[in-house]
Amino acid sequence: MIGRIFFVEVRRTAALWFGLGLAFAAALLTADPERWDGAWMATVLAHHAGLDLLWPLALAAGAWQGRRDHAAGIADLLAATARPGWARVAPQAAVVAGCLAGGYVGGLLDGLGRALLAATYHPPGWYWPLLAGSLSIAAAGLLGLGVGRLLPSRLTAALLALGGLAAVVVLAIGSADSDRPVLLLGPAYLGDTDQYSIVDTRVVAGKLVWFAALAATGFALYAAGGRRARLLAALPTVVGLVAALALFPPPGAAVRPDPQATALVCTDEAPRVCVTRLHEPALAQIVEPARRALALLSRLPDAPTQVVEEPSRHGTPVVQRRDSVHLELVVYGDGTVITGQQSIEDTILDGAGTWACGAAADDVAGWEPIQAARAAAGLWLQGRDAGPDEFWPPVQQMVVDALAGLRALPPDEQVARVAALRAAALDCRPDLYDVLTGS
């Protein structure tokens, strides 16, 4: 009997089409040809980030459906029936919420299927952001139903979509550069995430409480038969807001690194080459170029003996070890490895096997001599000159001049200069160009 009621509601409403449309929109927002299919958590997080646009759409879909009885001219007739309001509207509310939440989940199926085939590491707890996102979409649909029944105008859906989008934007802008938990009330924000992240359980719990409260308010508003009931419908939102803010950690503590994803997987033979467990399928691509680079670096005193992938984000401080080259990897959509230079070997030899540091990220003038010195050291180790326009104009001439001055020195002095640059780069000093040129 219940199944038949739901089947009838699916046929009577546009909820199924709304769900299919939401699934299509979610899939478009999640798709990224540059993201490696094996980045399981990155795919889930990209899907969740689309909620900033999907949430207002779900709100509008609910509002459009909420005015159905008014548009059909039967709102007063249904209100006069003996059935309680909540029992009468529950099937339609369940169908709308279920179709929208199902559409949201369906938009991730392609990405999860690809990840299942390509990934060797499946992160724990990847489903929590998906669950929180599904509940937020269902809550948006129910809230839209309530508002649509309360204000059954043709413009309500459009205005609600614009209002929902404006609320998301204002919340993000108003809380930017702050560590206030209110930022986590937004449907899409989970913290400063990346592919190595695990979302804190307090964030998930707070979002589940918050969106469950919004869903309860939406349903209560949709079922309300009088002014008093409509006023009381706001109570779950107030309680949920207080509870969610009590549960939320500061946004800076909303995510933490996944120790299993950052664990190293290394070759058995020396010299050792290691990548994170997340990028284990890419290990075979970097072994040979990494070992060629280590062979060239062996000309230097106290040379590194291994290449290790560094999971820290670009521009963040890295504790460099003298026996290791710390390498940042990006795996492209087709599974190929990108390192930021023309080749993996070039990247490892840049700066004589050191991490790029020594200036603030936005200090262009400070980076120019650092980049020139690092590039000159790498070219010297490879025994080649800088190609025409290989670097941007201010750096190109500095590289040419540094190489010419370095090669004019006796061989032992050349080695000593590059070794000195490596030592300075390990300490993130900004005077690499002066060290290399002897200025």
Side-chain angles (χ1 to χ4, degrees):
M1 182 63 180
I2 295 178
R4 185 177 179 181
I5 292 174
F6 280 107
F7 179 72
V8 170
E9 281 294 338
V10 169
R11 293 184 60 186
R12 289 178 62 203
T13 68
L16 182 60
W17 296 108
F18 288 146
L20 291 174
L22 197 74
F24 181 72
L28 285 180
L29 292 172
T30 305
D32 183 357
E34 297 185 5
R35 185 180 61 246
W36 177 47
D37 289 341
W40 188 300
M41 183 58 84
T43 301
V44 173
L45 293 174
H47 179 251
H48 194 275
L51 282 170
D52 277 342
L53 294 177
L54 297 176
W55 206 82
L57 291 178
L59 201 62
W64 182 263
Q65 193 61 42
R67 61 179 298 274
R68 182 187 68 175
D69 294 345
H70 178 83
I74 59 174
D76 293 336
L77 177 64
L78 292 175
T81 60
R83 295 182 67 194
W86 66 268
R88 177 171 49 81
V89 301
Q92 184 182 359
V95 166
V96 170
C99 287
L100 290 175
Y104 173 74
V105 174
L108 185 60
L109 293 181
D110 178 65
L112 283 185
R114 293 173 181 270
L116 189 62
L117 294 175
T120 57
Y121 173 65
H122 303 159
W126 61 267
Y127 43 81
W128 289 118
L130 182 60
L131 177 61
S134 301
L135 181 57
S136 75
I137 285 292
L142 291 173
L143 196 60
L145 278 175
V147 176
R149 185 169 184 266
L150 183 65
L151 303 171
S153 167
R154 293 178 181 273
L155 299 177
T156 299
L159 293 176
L160 208 53
L162 291 175
L165 183 61
V168 169
V169 172
V170 168
L171 182 63
I173 294 176
S175 302
D177 301 324
S178 73
D179 208 34
R180 293 180 294 176
V182 68
L183 185 59
L184 293 166
L185 293 173
Y189 188 72
L190 292 172
D192 194 10
T193 58
D194 63 14
Q195 60 186 340
Y196 294 106
S197 297
I198 292 179
V199 180
D200 192 282
T201 53
R202 294 173 295 173
V203 174
V204 176
K207 282 185 173 289
L208 291 178
V209 168
W210 168 235
F211 289 115
L214 285 182
T217 289
F219 180 76
L221 197 59
Y222 189 45
R227 182 177 179 182
R228 182 170 180 270
R230 289 167 184 165
L231 291 175
L232 288 175
L235 185 60
T237 294
V238 175
V239 174
L241 177 62
V242 174
L245 291 177
L247 285 169
F248 285 147
V255 296
R256 65 182 188 277
D258 179 0
Q260 298 181 50
T262 57
L264 294 179
V265 177
C266 304
T267 57
D268 295 327
E269 304 82 13
R272 201 169 70 142
V273 180
C274 304
V275 296
T276 59
R277 186 179 176 190
L278 177 65
H279 289 155
E280 183 178 0
L283 179 59
Q285 293 185 53
I286 72 169
V287 170
E288 290 306 317
R291 287 175 172 169
R292 289 196 301 267
L294 288 173
L296 293 174
L297 285 166
S298 66
R299 298 173 57 187
L300 303 177
D302 197 19
T305 58
Q306 63 179 356
V307 174
V308 178
E309 181 186 359
E310 175 56 58
S312 295
R313 298 181 185 181
H314 183 74
T316 58
V318 172
V319 179
Q320 300 188 74
R321 294 175 52 183
R322 295 184 179 276
D323 65 342
S324 305
V325 175
H326 298 267
L327 182 64
E328 182 182 22
L329 293 182
V330 175
V331 182
Y332 200 65
D334 60 1
T336 56
V337 173
I338 300 174
T339 57
Q341 301 284 342
Q342 292 183 353
S343 69
I344 296 172
E345 188 175 339
D346 290 344
T347 301
I348 295 173
L349 294 174
D350 184 65
T354 57
W355 188 263
C357 56
D362 57 351
D363 185 6
V364 177
W367 274 110
E368 288 179 359
I370 293 175
Q371 291 174 340
R374 294 178 60 84
L379 292 170
W380 179 85
L381 285 164
Q382 295 178 80
R384 70 179 182 89
D385 295 321
D389 301 323
E390 184 171 345
F391 308 97
W392 65 307
V395 175
Q396 178 81 16
Q397 190 58 48
M398 296 177 73
V399 172
V400 172
D401 294 343
L403 268 176
L406 183 62
R407 287 171 175 161
L409 300 172
D412 290 347
E413 180 62 19
Q414 294 180 38
V415 173
R417 289 281 182 88
V418 176
L421 175 139
R422 173 173 166 77
L426 287 171
D427 293 331
C428 285
R429 286 169 49 185
D431 59 341
L432 301 188
Y433 197 81
D434 294 339
V435 171
L436 186 65
T437 59
S439 302

